[in-house]
């Protein structure tokens, strides 16, 4: 009980009749799930009061008190279905709004005692004569046991409202409490400890009381108080409260209370704190382990004496009732609330009154306005109320129109057989179904085979957006979630993920992130970090250092941010970042990995992941820069923690840095809720940052566990404020439901260790006065939780003001929605609008206004290329067939050509679903891992000599080495067995990243898929891909490296196995051959000749399996490798494993636009 506790309210218990006097409460209890205080009286009536104001909520007659009545209410228990009450001859369950659920009552019928079940009408014959107490049986809350001063206990099923068992007993019980065991007080002053399952007596505790008047059990402790008999034979309240340890079943030293202990309550959160009250209002708060530490208060009891005491489950409220009929509510005016986690209380709809307007001939009708409304109108039909009444006629296939021939009746054409017999085609653009995901576009390979279309007739997601743009967000239900906020899924063809049209979902300059990777729920958070300029700068500057730690998240963030900026709107994937994130043991221990937490809310995981990433990044930064001042200035709140012992008042100061704060919402009282007056965001943020807590911990001075008070003293705030919204209750959702509650700008003042926060007019006033240094922040973005449908797991999106991170922007606001790989520009109002039913915030990011447009690219000039000039090996073997660069004469620079080729192994096989009709659908494509990378000099006297030839160690299980196409054998990637130079993935990746940012030109064959699998994006200006140099778009076929080498270089390569050095060197020679053709002006002629010769030989060198002469292959020629389908037929195109592409994969590929999987083969 803190110093600011006082009596806040005093009300009378409602009388039984209009003209009757108030009656004293027979029992009083706080609701465990809502902000309600319940009172029962001797007439069987139960009344509830809402909130700290104790506003009348419900009142109902649970136990009628007629001549054959059932008596006073003895005890109340709370269940998710409602309130359970017991009277001497009945047990009753009603909802919190007063509606009866079931009623079990004693009745005398034909001389037999029977129980009438209010729901089923069943009749039973237990003894129900003098009930007085009840308790739950265990933590399941499915059954209760009811007992009293009678020889039978009753076990009742709460859900069914039936007595399932009668248990005979030789004891008469007056009260029950549950704490691991059921503690039942008898009418003789003893306490029986009952097993919660079998109800057998485990232990009988003898007290020195003749009768127990009150007791409480919690946290393995039992405290009782009662009456003792004087020598004259008159009873009096005992001056000691008995204490028992329920674990050891022993009595502990009693607590002295000279005023006479009438009522006791254990504190729900402080495990050893007890409150004892006398009949005349003396209140004593005492520690069971140190009875000398007490806190005394006095309740104002004008007349009569106290008859009851109850402490709220939150520990922040106390209710006393007296014999006059008053109920006294104690607590702190600023902190009082009842339930620890309260659900929303349902109120009756209020009848709105409208002003009376007189309308006559002199008053125009236009002065009578339309009524204001907040709810959705009945005329706004939801999607589940709309039905299709028929489809428009299907469009005739262009192939049919091109092949039409006149006939006797009309015209006829060859059937292209695109659909099955009698199969109807859906022709609606927007199907009105209940699926929460967006319809996937056609695969790129399908589009490439279609005739040219007018850009205005091609269906894109913008068509759907136009139809949904006017959707009203106010009052939206889960069925009304805007289409762009819904789940997006990747569909796979036989070409894998590369055949998916990501451009369909994104027409902006900002790259989205793909979702087919484990733990990609973090995508929205990575987008938020990327568009926060100061966080982006820290990550990239750290990445440019010599850090080679395998678990460095800061480096991986830098790699990812650089890739997304270079991609300029093309879809990216956070493969390497998520692989590193998943490999950190602490992430798994904290439950941040999807495979370990199937049922955890994504919002909770996201907030925990944000905290973990920031704290781990601080450790990563410290490894390379012992002086962490720059990182702390950007992200850390400097807030030393003061810990004060409540017993000896010893105070300890500890250094503390916080990288993210959880919002702590204040309870909303009834008056504020009605008037829609809730605390501002700045107030909530202030109380959250300065949050003071009462905890129990070890005191070094007292040498024992004591009550400790902790508080923060804020000395400095960072340039970026990361905030967890922590919207976990219905009450916290009410804050966000208020329009405009989240400010776009806030101001922070630090003065004498205090944190002050302002917004709106208050912020402008402080800036005008200039009396304090105000640090002004602007909202960068939000990670939001989207609940698309009921009974479906939610997903996360980010809403970001991209104008803040642009180098120059004339617009102040440029909000974008990042729904994984779907990116769309949205209005500020849409971005900052929250709906409790489907859109709630999870993480917020504020940045100082001086950080707007502060993108620092000086890291590019500070790159440390030492890794390129020094050997690095984890198995101490020198790389074969390669020579390191000379740092004096061979410094890579802008325009320096290098030849590159990579090899991969399969880490996970593809997952395929086969429907009942036999259709095959790829659920998840084969996952590849980089196994070898070779980079050769492209010019100079050592042209064609490798300077990088690294094998990459892989810790994951390898399911297929793909030796025929990778040249990698079992054991080559094992440090204990390999004969090759092995390096970690990060070392190999960083070498390529250094070359990329030093401006070199990468020469190779089919590099697009290689770069994608490596998870690096190389701009087109830095790529010379020989698969594109020798390509005619109209042929819709790309040529393999082996065929080009045979025809143009007169060489046979890839005879047994692939070798990355050989392939890279061959690509380099083909590039030089192309330059010769270009200089001679015969490029087009030579490429046409290559295609003619390729058709003659089936696009394979003579002698290769499958190579044929003219007409041998028709239109189904392939080069080298072909994947065989389950039916035995050749599956043309990129194999599902996606390996070897651009070197010896099938070349019957159809070309397409940006992002096409149709790579050089």
């Amino acid at each position: 009980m803190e110093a600011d506790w006082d009596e806040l309210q005093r009300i009378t218990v409602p009388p039984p009749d209009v003209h009757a006097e108030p009656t004293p409460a027979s029992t009083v209890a706080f609701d465990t799930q809502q902000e309600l205080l319940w009172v029962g009286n001797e007439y069987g009536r139960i009344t509830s009061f809402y909130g700290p104001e104790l506003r009348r909520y419900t009142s109902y007659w649970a136990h009628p008190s007629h001549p054959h009545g059932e008596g006073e209410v003895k005890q109340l228990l709370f269940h998710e279905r409602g309130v359970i009450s017991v009277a001497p001859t009945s047990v009753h369950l009603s909802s919190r709004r007063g509606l009866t659920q079931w009623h079990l009552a004693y009745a005398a019928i034909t001389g037999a005692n029977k129980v009438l079940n209010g729901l089923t009408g069943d009749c039973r014959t237990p003894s129900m004569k003098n009930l007085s107490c009840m308790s739950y049986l265990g933590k399941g809350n499915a059954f209760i046991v009811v007992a009293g001063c009678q020889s039978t206990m009753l076990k009742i099923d709460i859900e069914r409202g039936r007595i399932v068992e009668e248990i005979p007993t030789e004891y008469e019980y007056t009260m029950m409490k549950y704490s691991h065991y059921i503690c039942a007080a008898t009418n003789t002053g003893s306490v029986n400890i009952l097993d919660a399952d079998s109800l057998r007596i485990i232990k009988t505790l003898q007290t020195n009381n003749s009768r127990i008047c009150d007791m409480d059990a919690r946290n393995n402790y039992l405290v009782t108080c009662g009456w003792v008999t004087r020598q004259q034979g008159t009873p009096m309240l005992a001056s000691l409260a008995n204490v028992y340890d329920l674990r050891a079943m022993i009595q502990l030293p009693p607590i002295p209370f000279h005023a006479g202990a009438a009522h006791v309550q254990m504190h729900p959160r402080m495990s050893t704190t007890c409150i004892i009250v006398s009949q005349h209002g003396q209140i004593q708060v005492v520690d069971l382990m140190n009875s000398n530490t007490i806190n005394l208060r006095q309740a104002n009891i004008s007349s009569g004496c106290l008859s009851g005491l109850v402490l709220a489950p939150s520990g922040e409220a106390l209710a006393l009732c007296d014999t006059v009929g008053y109920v006294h509510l104690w607590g702190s005016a600023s902190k009082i609330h009842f339930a620890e986690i309260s659900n929303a209380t349902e109120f009756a709809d209020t009848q709105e009154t409208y002003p009376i307007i007189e309308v006559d001939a002199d008053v125009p009708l236009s002065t009578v306005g339309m009524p204001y409304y907040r709810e959705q109108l009945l005329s706004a039909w939801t999607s589940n109320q709309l039905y299709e009444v028929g489809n428009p006629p299907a469009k005739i296939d262009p192939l049919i129109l091109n092949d039409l021939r006149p006939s006797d009746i009309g015209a006829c054409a060859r059937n292209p057989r695109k659909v099955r017999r009698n199969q109807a085609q859906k022709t609606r653009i927007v199907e009105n179904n209940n699926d929460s995901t967006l319809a996937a576009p056609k695969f790129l390979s399908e589009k490439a085979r279609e005739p040219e279309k007018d850009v205005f007739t091609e269906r894109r997601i913008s068509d759907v957006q136009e139809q949904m743009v006017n959707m009203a967000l106010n009052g939206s239900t889960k069925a009304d979630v805007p289409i762009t906020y819904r789940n997006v899924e990747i569909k796979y063809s036989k070409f894998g993920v590369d055949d998916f049209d990501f451009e369909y979902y994104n027409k902006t300059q900002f790259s989205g992130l793909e979702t087919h990777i484990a733990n990609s729920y973090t995508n929205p958070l990575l987008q938020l970090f990327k568009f926060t300029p100061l966080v982006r700068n820290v990550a990239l500057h750290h990445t440019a250092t010599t850090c080679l730690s395998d678990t460095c998240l800061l480096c991986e963030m830098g790699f990812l941010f650089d890739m997304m900026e270079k991609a300029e709107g093309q879809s990216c994937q956070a493969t390497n970042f998520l692989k590193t994130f998943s490999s950190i043991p602490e992430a798994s221990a904290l439950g941040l990995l999807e495979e370990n937490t199937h049922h955890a809310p994504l919002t909770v995981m996201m907030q925990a992941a944000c905290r973990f990433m920031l704290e781990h990044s601080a450790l990563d930064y410290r490894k390379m820069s012992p002086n962490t001042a720059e990182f702390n200035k950007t992200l850390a709140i400097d807030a030393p923690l003061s810990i004060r012992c409540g017993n000896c008042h010893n105070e300890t100061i500890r250094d503390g840095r916080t990288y993210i704060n959880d919002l702590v919402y204040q309870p909303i009282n009834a008056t504020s809720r009605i008037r829609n007056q809730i605390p501002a965001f700045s107030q909530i943020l202030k109380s959250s940052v300065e949050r003071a807590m009462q905890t129990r911990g070890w005191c070094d001075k007292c040498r024992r566990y004591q009550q400790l008070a902790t508080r923060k003293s804020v000395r400095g705030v960072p340039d970026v404020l990361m905030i967890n919204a922590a919207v976990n209750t219905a009450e916290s959702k009410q804050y966000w439901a208020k329009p405009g509650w989240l400010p776009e700008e806030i101001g922070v003042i630090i003065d004498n260790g205090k944190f002050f926060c302002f917004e709106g007019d208050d912020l402008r006033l402080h800036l005008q006065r200039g009396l304090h240094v105000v640090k002004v922040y602007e909202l960068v973005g939000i990670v939001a939780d989207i609940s698309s449908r009921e009974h479906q797991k939610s997903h996360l999106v980010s809403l970001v003001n991209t104008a803040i991170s642009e180098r120059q922007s004339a617009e102040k606001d440029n909000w974008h929605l990042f729904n994984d790989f779907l990116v769309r520009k949205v209005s500020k109002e849409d971005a900052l609008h929250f709906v409790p039913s489907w859109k709630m915030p999870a993480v917020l990011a504020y940045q100082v206004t001086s950080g707007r447009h502060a993108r620092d690219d000086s890291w590019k000039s500070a790159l440390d290329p030492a890794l390129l000039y020094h050997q690095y090996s984890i198995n101490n073997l020198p790389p074969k067939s390669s020579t390191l660069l000379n740092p004096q004469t061979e410094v890579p620079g802008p325009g320096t050509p290098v030849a590159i080729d990579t090899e991969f192994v399969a880490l996970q096989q593809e997952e395929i679903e086969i429907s009942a009709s036999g259709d095959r659908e790829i659920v998840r494509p084969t996952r590849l891992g980089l196994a070898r990378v070779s980079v050769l000099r492209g010019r100079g006297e050592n042209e064609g000599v490798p300077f990088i030839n690294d094998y990459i160690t892989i810790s994951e299980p390898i399911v297929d080495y793909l030796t025929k196409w990778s040249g990698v054998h079992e054991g080559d990637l094992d440090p204990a067995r390999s004969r090759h130079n092995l390096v970690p993935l990060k070392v190999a990746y960083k070498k390529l990243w250094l070359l990329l940012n030093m401006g070199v030109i990468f020469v190779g064959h089919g590099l697009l898929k290689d770069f994608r699998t490596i998870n690096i994006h190389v701009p087109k200006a830095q790529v010379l891909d020989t698969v594109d140099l020798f390509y005619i778009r109209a042929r819709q076929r790309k040529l393999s490296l082996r065929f080009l080498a045979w025809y143009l270089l007169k060489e046979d390569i890839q005879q047994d196995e692939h070798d990355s050095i050989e392939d890279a060197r061959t690509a380099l020679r083909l590039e030089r051959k192309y330059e010769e053709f270009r200089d001679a002006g015969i490029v087009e002629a030579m490429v046409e000749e290559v295609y003619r010769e390729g058709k003659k030989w089936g696009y394979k060198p003579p002698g290769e399996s499958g190579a044929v002469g003219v007409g041998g292959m028709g239109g189904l020629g392939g080069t080298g490798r072909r994947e065989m389908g389950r039916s035995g037929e050749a599956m043309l195109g990129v194999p599902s494993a996606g390996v070897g592409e651009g070197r010896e994969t099938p070349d019957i590929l159809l070309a397409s636009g940006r992002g096409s999987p149709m790579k050089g083969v």
Side-chain angles (χ1 to χ4, degrees), residues 510-754:
F510 307 111
S511 296
L513 292 174
E514 299 170 19
T515 59
H516 63 287
I517 313 163
N519 302 308
S520 59
Y521 75 92
T522 58
N523 284 349
L525 183 61
L526 296 174
Q527 292 280 15
L528 185 58
F529 285 155
K530 187 255 181 183
F531 285 101
T532 306
L534 299 182
V535 176
R536 174 247 185 212
N537 294 344
V538 169
L540 284 170
H541 277 276
H542 176 82
T543 307
T545 65
T546 57
C547 177
L548 296 177
S549 172
D550 290 340
T551 59
C552 181
L553 291 180
L554 204 54
C555 277
E556 296 299 338
M557 280 189 199
F559 293 143
L560 179 62
F561 296 165
D562 184 48
M563 176 173 64
M564 294 172 69
E565 290 177 3
K566 287 181 169 64
E568 295 181 344
Q570 296 185 47
S571 180
C572 296
Q573 50 185 339
T575 307
N576 291 350
F577 176 89
L578 294 177
K579 184 181 296 185
T580 303
F581 175 71
S582 304
S583 68
I584 301 175
E586 292 85 349
S588 178
L590 292 172
L592 304 181
L593 307 184
E594 290 176 329
E595 59 265 27
N596 300 334
T597 53
H598 299 289
H599 303 291
L602 280 182
T603 301
V604 177
M605 291 178 61
M606 174 62 76
Q607 293 170 351
C610 182
R611 186 184 306 277
F612 172 76
M613 288 181 189
L614 293 174
E615 292 176 351
H616 198 277
S617 296
L619 298 176
D620 296 335
Y621 190 90
R622 192 176 296 118
K623 292 177 182 177
M624 298 304 298
S625 304
N627 183 9
T628 60
E630 186 64 27
F631 187 91
N632 294 334
K633 178 180 179 296
T634 303
L635 285 162
I637 295 179
D638 186 6
L641 190 65
S642 171
I643 306 174
R644 184 182 181 88
C645 176
N647 179 43
C648 65
H649 305 294
N650 179 50
E651 188 171 6
T652 305
I653 307 295
R654 296 180 181 174
D655 288 336
R657 288 188 176 88
T658 305
Y659 297 101
I660 190 168
N661 282 278
D662 294 347
L663 292 183
V664 180
Y665 301 91
Q666 301 173 9
I668 304 175
N669 56 45
T671 304
S672 299
R673 183 179 288 106
I674 294 173
R675 297 177 180 177
N676 201 24
Q677 296 176 347
I678 61 176
F681 176 86
S682 55
Q683 295 175 270
I684 298 297
L685 181 59
K686 171 180 169 58
S687 60
S688 303
V689 173
E690 294 183 332
R691 184 181 182 186
M693 294 183 294
Q694 295 284 340
T695 58
R696 188 165 183 81
W698 179 261
C699 177
D700 292 331
K701 188 174 182 180
C702 298
R703 305 298 300 171
R704 64 187 306 170
Y705 285 96
Q706 298 286 5
Q707 200 65 29
L708 304 178
T710 60
R711 63 180 180 85
K712 292 180 180 178
S713 177
V714 183
R715 293 188 302 199
V717 289
D719 293 337
V720 177
L721 278 177
M722 299 299 302
I723 302 169
N724 278 339
V727 185
N728 303 320
T729 64
E731 189 170 57
S732 58
K733 290 183 179 181
Q734 295 179 20
Y735 283 84
W736 295 95
K738 181 180 179 181
W741 188 73
L742 179 66
E744 295 181 63
E745 284 190 347
I746 59 174
V748 174
I749 298 176
I750 304 299
D751 187 19
N752 294 325
K754 296 292 184 180

Side-chain angles (χ1 to χ4, degrees), residues 443-497:
F443 291 115
L444 295 175
S445 56
E446 294 175 340
K447 292 185 178 182
R449 288 192 293 268
E450 293 179 349
E452 292 291 334
K453 291 184 178 180
D454 188 357
V455 294
F456 295 104
T457 63
E458 184 180 3
R459 178 198 168 203
R460 307 206 66 79
I461 195 172
S462 56
D463 301 333
V464 182
Q465 294 173 2
E466 290 298 326
Q467 300 180 37
M468 307 297 289
V469 71
N470 295 322
M471 174 177 288
L473 295 181
N474 290 328
S476 294
T477 63
K478 289 188 178 181
D480 298 323
V481 177
I483 190 171
T484 50
Y485 281 88
R486 299 184 187 179
N487 282 317
V488 288
E489 295 180 356
I490 298 176
K491 299 295 183 181
Y492 306 100
S493 71
K494 61 185 178 182
F495 302 116
V497 69

Side-chain angles (χ1 to χ4, degrees), residues 134-403:
M134 57 184 171
S135 172
Y136 283 115
L137 293 178
K139 296 182 179 180
N141 293 354
F143 299 92
I144 59 172
V145 59
V146 186
C149 296
Q150 57 182 43
S151 60
T152 306
M153 294 189 296
L154 308 176
K155 183 178 179 180
I156 299 177
D157 186 333
I158 299 176
E159 292 295 330
R160 300 171 60 192
R162 292 185 178 182
I163 299 172
V164 296
E165 187 178 357
E166 301 175 16
I167 303 101
T169 176
E170 60 184 25
Y171 294 93
E172 296 182 355
Y173 295 115
T174 58
M175 62 183 67
M176 286 183 170
K177 300 290 182 180
Y178 175 79
S179 177
H180 303 294
Y181 303 102
I182 297 176
C183 303
T186 67
N187 61 351
T188 60
S190 62
V191 179
N192 287 342
I193 308 300
L194 307 179
D195 181 76
D197 296 323
S198 62
L199 294 178
R200 64 181 181 85
I201 299 176
I202 299 175
K203 178 81 173 179
T204 298
L205 303 176
Q206 299 293 339
T207 67
N208 56 354
N209 305 123
S210 59
R211 186 178 180 87
I212 294 176
C213 61
D214 199 6
M215 72 174 185
D216 196 15
R218 198 183 297 269
N219 301 320
N220 296 312
Y221 292 103
L222 170 67
V223 183
T224 68
C225 63
W227 299 89
V228 295
T229 305
R230 298 179 180 177
Q231 294 181 354
Q232 297 82 1
T234 58
M236 65 173 290
L237 287 171
S239 59
L240 293 174
N242 299 310
V243 184
Y244 301 89
D245 188 338
L246 296 179
R247 290 169 296 187
M249 297 295 181
I250 59 173
Q251 184 172 3
L252 301 177
I255 300 172
F257 190 70
H258 301 292
H263 307 282
V264 295
Q265 281 279 292
M266 292 291 294
H267 198 284
R269 293 191 298 177
M270 303 177 185
S271 59
T272 61
T273 299
C274 177
I275 298 178
I276 307 175
V277 179
S278 72
Q279 283 187 326
H280 302 291
Q282 182 177 329
I283 305 173
Q284 175 177 306
V285 183
V286 62
D287 192 333
L288 301 181
M289 300 294 101
N290 185 8
S291 59
N292 295 325
T293 304
I294 60 175
N295 182 6
L296 286 176
R297 306 295 292 272
Q298 179 65 44
N300 184 15
I301 307 299
S302 57
S303 60
C305 59
L306 291 181
S307 59
L309 161 70
V310 64
L311 191 60
S314 64
E316 299 292 345
L318 180 73
L320 305 168
C321 55
D322 58 30
T323 56
V324 181
Y326 287 102
V327 177
H328 310 254
L329 180 65
W330 279 62
S332 170
S334 61
K335 300 179 182 178
I336 185 169
H337 63 282
F338 299 163
E340 186 172 5
I341 300 177
S342 60
N343 299 326
T345 303
E346 186 178 4
F347 288 92
D349 296 334
T350 58
Q351 185 67 30
E352 295 188 14
T353 59
Y354 299 99
I356 299 176
I357 301 177
E358 295 182 359
V359 181
D360 53 31
D362 298 329
V363 178
L365 291 178
S366 60
T367 59
V368 183
M370 290 292 293
Y372 293 101
Y373 57 88
R374 293 181 180 176
E375 297 181 353
Q376 194 173 35
L377 297 179
L378 293 177
S379 59
W381 292 357
T382 57
S383 57
N384 59 347
Q385 295 175 305
L386 302 177
Y387 303 93
E388 291 187 6
V389 295
N391 292 334
K395 293 182 179 180
I396 301 177
D397 194 305
L399 295 178
I400 297 178
L401 294 176
N402 296 334
D403 197 30

Side-chain angles (χ1 to χ4, degrees), residues 1055-1074:
Q1055 292 298 312
D1056 297 320
E1057 298 175 359
H1058 285 220
D1059 181 84
S1060 56
I1061 293 180
E1062 180 186 47
D1063 290 351
R1065 187 178 289 122
T1066 301
L1068 182 63
R1069 295 183 60 192
L1070 285 173
E1071 186 265 338
R1072 296 302 291 267
K1073 179 67 68 174
Y1074 179 85

